[in-house]
Amino acid sequence: MPDKPRELPLIVGGRSRWAAMAAIATVAVALGGCGTITTEATVPSSIESSAPRIAKAQVGTPGSAELAAIAPGTADLMARIRATDPCALMNREFAERLGVFQRFDRSPGTDRGSGWTGCGLILSAPDDAYYSFDLELDKLYTAGKRAADKIEQVNGRTVYRGAGSDDRPDAYSCEYRIPAGDTGFAHLLSVAKLAGSARTPVPWSQPCRFTREYLAASIDTLTALPPHLIDVPGRSLMQRNPCASTAQITAQFPGWQMTPVAWPKAYKCVITLMQPGGANRTTVEISFDQTSEQMVKTGEVLRVPSGLDGGQSIQYARHTNVDGLTGIELRTVQSTDPTRQNSSCAITLNYRRADPPTANNAHLLTISVNLAPAAPPFPFDACAQATTLTPTVLHAIP
């Protein structure tokens, strides 16, 4: 069995940012050289019998992130999320029952995803605190996570209140999840009262009662996800489809079998093709993000244990330029297995520069390629493959 692909660090704005080299174990492609792959292998009657196991869609709510990413309806859900504006789904009028409106907040954060699939609404409170409403539209919510929360009905719809959310005397927040069908994803709404830049909790009366009432006044619009164009002047990845180039990418590999495109997030997709004969697979992951610009030192950036033979996985970074866009290339090599030294690579480009340069609002495009097993019967260089595929992705962005 091949080693499990490792996540590799990209140094962003002076700190580490983890980018998955093969985000989903169910996705796979075998690539050879820098262009179209050709081999004489024949496809067996059952790829499944000889290929690494690939997750398949199932009836009911998926029980894992891998299954949620390929569940029926997930691709459509992610497209609808990209087409709407999370801030336009916030019920400002109802929220203002708590305090005075200050602003909408699209900045990235743990409660709002990348900043494009979520929105924050900030209200000032009379006691120098503030109320924070956070919405995230593509929150993973598998069967096991649902089982831990509390089922309720709001306007005839099934919703789930967080297991730790209630109206105890010291409660300062409450969260609800609204499942997006049986995709394994949900819309997450949380309301909290906080103070200061440290977001210090401030208890208030019945936060779950208010959050439920807010949800009842908002749930129809929230679940409808109406299209809403976000006017972003200049170069932007917002509301763009990271897998718009799927057909062009797969067309480069005639005879290779593609599994369903996986969607772990609205702005992250994974294309998988199986090598004829099922011996190898490669994942091509494409993601759009909002964060700080890529500023990376060249040379070795990380060294970690890998495998059972005492070897190490070593990651090297270098500056790169693709179609006039600057960024970084991150290559992984294995200290004890030269055949694996070119099997994992990621390229991250500054599609839109930060403004000002220190801001967290740059738009980044990342393409990663990972081969498994890592010893193909043909020449393979993951960085050469990523470099070849990147212009294809760029040219598909409107």
Side-chain angles (χ1 to χ4, degrees):
M1 292 292 292
D3 292 337
K4 181 180 179 181
R6 296 179 176 272
E7 291 185 340
L8 307 180
L10 306 183
I11 309 303
V12 186
R15 67 180 189 275
S16 286
R17 169 180 172 267
W18 289 87
M21 298 297 290
I24 290 207
T26 63
V27 216
V29 191
L31 310 174
C34 296
T36 301
I37 298 176
T38 57
T39 71
E40 297 181 358
T42 58
V43 180
S45 58
S46 175
I47 282 285
E48 225 176 281
S49 63
S50 56
R53 190 177 68 168
I54 292 180
K56 290 186 173 182
Q58 63 183 28
V59 177
T61 305
S64 69
E66 292 82 3
L67 290 172
I70 60 170
T74 292
D76 177 67
L77 171 67
M78 299 308 179
R80 293 168 59 219
I81 290 173
R82 290 192 302 272
T84 195
D85 177 1
C87 289
L89 304 179
M90 303 290 274
N91 192 329
R92 173 178 168 177
E93 181 179 1
F94 196 98
E96 286 179 322
R97 297 183 182 187
L98 288 179
V100 179
F101 174 79
Q102 295 298 305
R103 69 184 187 278
F104 286 116
D105 186 0
R106 296 183 186 275
S107 62
T110 55
D111 297 322
R112 292 189 292 273
S114 71
W116 299 337
T117 61
C119 182
L121 187 158
I122 308 299
L123 306 168
S124 62
D127 54 358
D128 294 329
Y130 63 92
Y131 293 97
S132 175
F133 289 65
D134 286 303
L135 175 67
E136 184 178 353
L137 298 177
D138 60 350
K139 190 73 171 178
L140 184 67
Y141 198 46
T142 53
K145 294 179 182 293
R146 289 191 187 191
D149 292 337
K150 305 165 187 176
I151 301 177
E152 295 183 9
Q153 294 291 315
V154 173
N155 291 8
R157 300 178 186 273
T158 299
V159 300
Y160 291 79
R161 179 157 51 95
S165 294
D166 55 44
D167 285 333
R168 62 187 182 276
D170 62 342
Y172 73 96
S173 67
C174 189
E175 67 177 34
Y176 276 89
R177 287 174 172 81
I178 306 93
D182 283 325
T183 61
F185 291 90
H187 313 313
L188 171 65
L189 171 69
S190 65
V191 181
K193 187 175 184 180
L194 307 164
S197 58
R199 296 173 62 89
T200 303
V202 178
W204 56 297
S205 177
Q206 299 181 312
C208 282
R209 178 178 177 179
F210 177 86
T211 304
R212 180 185 172 88
E213 292 172 351
Y214 173 90
L215 187 56
S218 315
I219 194 168
D220 291 343
T221 300
L222 178 57
T223 55
L225 297 175
H228 193 288
L229 181 64
I230 303 174
D231 184 16
V232 182
R235 195 179 187 94
S236 174
L237 292 174
M238 189 180 294
Q239 296 192 310
R240 305 297 194 265
N241 178 3
C243 256
S245 57
T246 299
Q248 294 92 323
I249 290 174
T250 57
Q252 297 183 44
F253 313 114
W256 294 74
Q257 295 192 354
M258 185 179 76
T259 65
V261 175
W263 287 94
K265 300 289 287 183
Y267 287 93
K268 179 184 291 186
C269 62
V270 191
I271 302 170
T272 301
L273 290 94
M274 299 297 299
Q275 178 195 12
N280 288 94
R281 68 187 186 192
T282 299
T283 61
V284 178
E285 180 183 290
I286 307 165
S287 64
F288 297 162
D289 297 286
Q290 176 180 310
T291 182
S292 52
E293 288 186 22
Q294 297 297 288
M295 294 180 288
V296 155
K297 295 186 300 183
T298 59
E300 182 179 324
V301 294
L302 188 68
R303 183 183 292 254
V304 295
S306 176
L308 302 176
D309 55 3
Q312 294 179 315
S313 177
I314 309 169
Q315 296 149 14
Y316 295 95
R318 72 178 184 91
H319 295 286
T320 189
N321 187 304
V322 180
D323 277 12
L325 299 180
T326 61
I328 63 168
E329 173 192 279
L330 192 65
R331 178 190 296 269
T332 300
V333 301
Q334 300 295 325
S335 64
T336 58
D337 188 352
T339 65
R340 297 175 57 200
Q341 65 180 357
N342 296 318
S343 62
S344 296
C345 189
I347 291 176
T348 298
L349 300 176
N350 296 305
Y351 188 83
R352 177 184 178 128
R353 308 304 295 262
D355 183 23
T358 56
N360 213 28
N361 58 12
H363 293 196
L364 304 185
L365 179 153
T366 299
I367 297 176
S368 64
V369 175
N370 185 79
L371 179 71
F378 45 79
F380 184 90
D381 186 322
C383 285
Q385 297 292 351
T387 300
T388 299
L389 295 176
T390 299
T392 301
V393 175
L394 285 170
H395 298 162
I397 299 172

